[in-house]
């Protein structure tokens, strides 16, 4: 028997949400942070744009609230939006105090911060560190975490599944810890904790083309679903309008701020086209811009459009977009002289595990923060740069709630070890790689920017076949990182498809040719899926989540 890890708080995920939560907890609290790769390998590190907050006297809380509500297409929770926006300035100040080097006007410490503007915002309210804000934020947070004696950081550790009391024979469904694969040793270890937090990010890797790193495989959403949590609004997958189109430029995002600072979208013949789709042109919300690009690509049979910022001075471009400029130069594109070839790509999961404003999920002692959560902030479409803001605000509120609860939470008892008595090493890894490719391709083709009932039906049939193959494989062979990610992705794919099938309208990020307009006859409602009770699997101490209940519910259906 291996020694079981024991902590007050277990945080699964090491991006802005997870590290902020760890740092907001007081020093006496013993915290474990799991990172399934190197600590910086996540969406936060690659976030270019910035953090939206009301930091200018010409801006207002009311304006930020209204912009967020407008982008969310009727599905934002007004109380959550206001709470988030009002908490924004303090969250940004905390990062400043942590040493994050945000860009200032005229590069002088005596000057205020430079604020940029992005799609959907009426004002300049995006504080940023050039065009590498996520890297600056994550670097400061990692340094602070490494300096704290009460926080242990476990890199190369991927969670397999949550351990709940129900799964070990108790009546209550509370979270006790997690089974975790140490990728270095190949051994599955037990982590038990008074409170567990999922901060694992989104699931955009379910699509063939994505701006996200390889780690964005919906792990937290899938694990929470199998543990008994509902999921909400999974049909709302945001496609970023502008990813660099180049065979060597995997997942490289062209920040929204390029358009915010005057970048123009052009057809191959140099003609602009956004004015035909929205009066806000390039500054329309992302769903409108992504659909416009997708429409033009299909109409003309082209594989990309162009984004041109070359009318700005070379000095301006180098100051504001050094990361974009450098990466494009490496690929032979001089953005000071020529436009950038771009395509839409899956970028953000607006749905997730329903939580309240303190991060509570449906399972006791299980919190969810960041992109894995569905807080009610984003509604049917996330507004640009509200994502890092959400991570900071809800990690802070969850930390305060966890701190208040810890004194009354006993440490879980010794938990059952991971059972490998009925499994062997795989001799057919090709099954995993083949299923991975098939899943991502048909999700792109059938459940992408534009959907139809027929496409969704086809996708669901293929998901069902893959699920059978993957569960059989999972039940017979020792787990690997690729297998765990594939298992989670196929579960999330099913949730996305079923959610999309339920929404008989087009709203926000969900656009279907069969129902091209919003349903204005009824109040906007969330899509809620509920799992069946957990069940044992042969050879493993985990459960499979199956869809039991599907409903369109009003916003108060959240936890």
């Amino acid at each position: 028997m291996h020694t079981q890890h024991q902590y007050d708080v277990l945080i699964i995920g090491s991006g802005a949400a997870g590290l902020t939560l760890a740092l907001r907890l007081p020093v006496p609290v013993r915290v474990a942070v799991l990172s399934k790769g190197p600590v910086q390998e996540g969406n936060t590190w690659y976030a270019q744009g910035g953090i939206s907050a009301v930091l200018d006297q010409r801006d207002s809380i009311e304006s930020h609230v209204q912009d967020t509500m407008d982008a969310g297409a009727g599905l934002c929770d007004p109380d959550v939006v206001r709470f988030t926006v009002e908490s924004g300035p303090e969250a940004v100040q905390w990062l400043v105090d942590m040493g994050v080097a945000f860009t200032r006007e005229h590069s002088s410490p005596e000057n205020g911060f430079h604020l940029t503007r992005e799609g959907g915002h009426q004002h300049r309210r995006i504080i940023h560190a050039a065009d590498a804000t996520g890297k600056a934020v994550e670097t400061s947070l990692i340094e602070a975490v490494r300096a704290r004696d009460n926080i242990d950081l476990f890199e190369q550790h991927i969670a397999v599944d949550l351990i709940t009391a129900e799964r070990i024979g108790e009546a209550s469904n509370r979270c006790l810890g997690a089974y975790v694969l140490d990728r270095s040793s190949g051994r599955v270890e037990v982590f038990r904790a008074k409170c567990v937090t999922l901060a694992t990010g989104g699931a955009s890797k379910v699509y063939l083309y994505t701006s996200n790193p390889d780690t964005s495989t919906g792990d937290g959403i899938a694990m929470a679903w199998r543990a008994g949590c509902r999921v909400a609004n999974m049909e709302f997958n945001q496609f970023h309008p502008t990813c660099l189109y180049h065979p060597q430029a995997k997942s490289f995002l062209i920040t929204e701020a390029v358009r915010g600072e005057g970048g123009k979208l052009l057809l191959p013949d140099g003609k602009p086209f956004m004015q035909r789709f929205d009066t806000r042109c390039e500054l329309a919300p992302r769903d409108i811009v992504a659909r416009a690009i997708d429409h033009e690509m299909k109409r003309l049979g082209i594989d990309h459009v162009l984004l041109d910022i070359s009318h700005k001075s070379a000095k301006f471009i180098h100051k504001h977009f050094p990361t974009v400029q450098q990466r494009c130069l490496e690929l032979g594109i001089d953005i000071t002289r020529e436009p950038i070839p771009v395509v839409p790509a899956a970028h953000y999961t607006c749905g997730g595990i329903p939580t309240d404003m303190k991060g509570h999920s449906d399972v006791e002692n299980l919190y969810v923060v960041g992109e894995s959560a569905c807080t009610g902030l984003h509604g049917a479409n996330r507004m640009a740069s509200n994502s890092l803001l959400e991570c900071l605000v809800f990690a802070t509120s969850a930390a305060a709630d966890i701190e208040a609860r810890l004194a009354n939470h006993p440490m879980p008892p010794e938990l059952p070890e991971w059972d490998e008595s009925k499994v062997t090493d795989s001799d057919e890894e090709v099954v995993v790689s083949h299923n991975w490719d098939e899943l991502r391709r048909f999700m792109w083709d059938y459940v992408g920017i534009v959907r139809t009932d027929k496409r969704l039906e086809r996708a669901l049939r293929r998901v069902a076949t893959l699920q059978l193959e993957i569960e059989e494989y999972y039940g017979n062979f020792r787990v690997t990182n690729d297998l765990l990610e594939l298992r989670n992705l196929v579960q999330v794919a099913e949730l996305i498809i079923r959610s999309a099938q339920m929404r008989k309208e087009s709203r926000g990020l969900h656009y279907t040719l069969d129902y091209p307009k919003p349903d204005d006859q009824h109040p906007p409602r969330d899509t809620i899926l509920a799992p069946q009770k957990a069940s044992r699997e042969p050879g493993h101490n985990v459960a499979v989540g199956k869809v039991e209940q599907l409903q369109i519910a009003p916003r108060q259906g959240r936890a």
Side-chain angles (χ1 to χ4, degrees), residues 118-291:
E118 295 180 346
H121 294 270
Q122 298 180 63
H123 296 278
R124 286 180 172 267
R125 63 168 69 101
I126 316 301
I127 189 170
H128 61 102
D131 60 348
T133 307
K135 184 176 181 180
V137 169
E138 185 81 350
T139 298
S140 293
L141 296 181
I142 291 171
E143 289 175 356
V145 162
R146 292 195 188 282
R148 288 269 294 263
D149 292 337
N150 66 310
I151 303 173
D152 291 337
L153 182 59
F154 292 85
E155 297 181 273
Q156 302 295 337
H157 280 67
I158 178 171
V160 179
D161 253 320
L162 299 170
I163 307 172
T164 62
E166 193 174 66
R167 292 181 186 172
I168 62 170
E170 295 185 15
S172 67
N173 194 26
R174 56 195 175 93
C175 192
L176 307 174
Y179 291 113
V180 178
L181 173 65
D182 180 347
R183 296 174 62 184
S184 301
S185 68
R187 189 174 68 238
V188 176
E189 302 173 343
V190 175
F191 281 74
R192 49 197 174 102
K194 296 179 180 179
C195 293
V196 178
T197 300
L198 294 170
T200 54
S204 288
K205 203 67 182 177
V206 76
Y207 289 102
L208 183 61
Y209 300 111
T210 175
S211 65
N212 289 191
D214 289 342
T215 54
S216 299
T217 51
D219 302 332
I221 296 171
M223 286 190 292
W225 170 259
R226 291 192 293 264
C229 290
R230 297 166 300 153
V231 300
N233 295 345
M234 290 297 291
E235 69 271 34
F236 298 123
N237 311 105
Q238 188 175 83
F239 290 81
H240 197 286
T242 55
C243 257
L244 180 59
Y245 179 80
H246 193 282
Q248 299 171 26
K250 176 184 176 185
S251 302
F252 188 77
L253 183 75
I254 304 298
T255 172
E256 182 128 356
V258 171
R259 284 180 287 126
E261 294 295 341
K264 294 293 183 183
L265 285 164
L266 309 173
L267 297 175
D269 61 4
K271 293 180 180 178
F273 60 89
M274 276 307 303
Q275 74 280 358
R276 290 191 276 110
F277 294 90
D278 195 282
T279 57
R280 292 165 289 186
C281 298
E282 280 76 10
L283 289 176
R286 288 177 177 174
D287 60 322
I288 295 173
V289 180
R291 278 201 302 276

Side-chain angles (χ1 to χ4, degrees), residues 496-529:
I496 292 172
I497 296 164
R498 289 189 180 276
S499 297
Q501 287 180 318
M502 291 173 63
R503 188 166 292 280
K504 304 300 184 183
E505 64 168 347
S506 289
R507 182 176 297 277
L509 299 167
H510 174 69
Y511 185 81
T512 169
L513 294 175
D514 293 307
Y515 311 95
K517 296 184 181 299
D519 176 9
D520 293 326
Q521 302 302 310
H522 303 92
R525 295 191 170 195
D526 293 319
T527 306
I528 307 291
L529 277 65

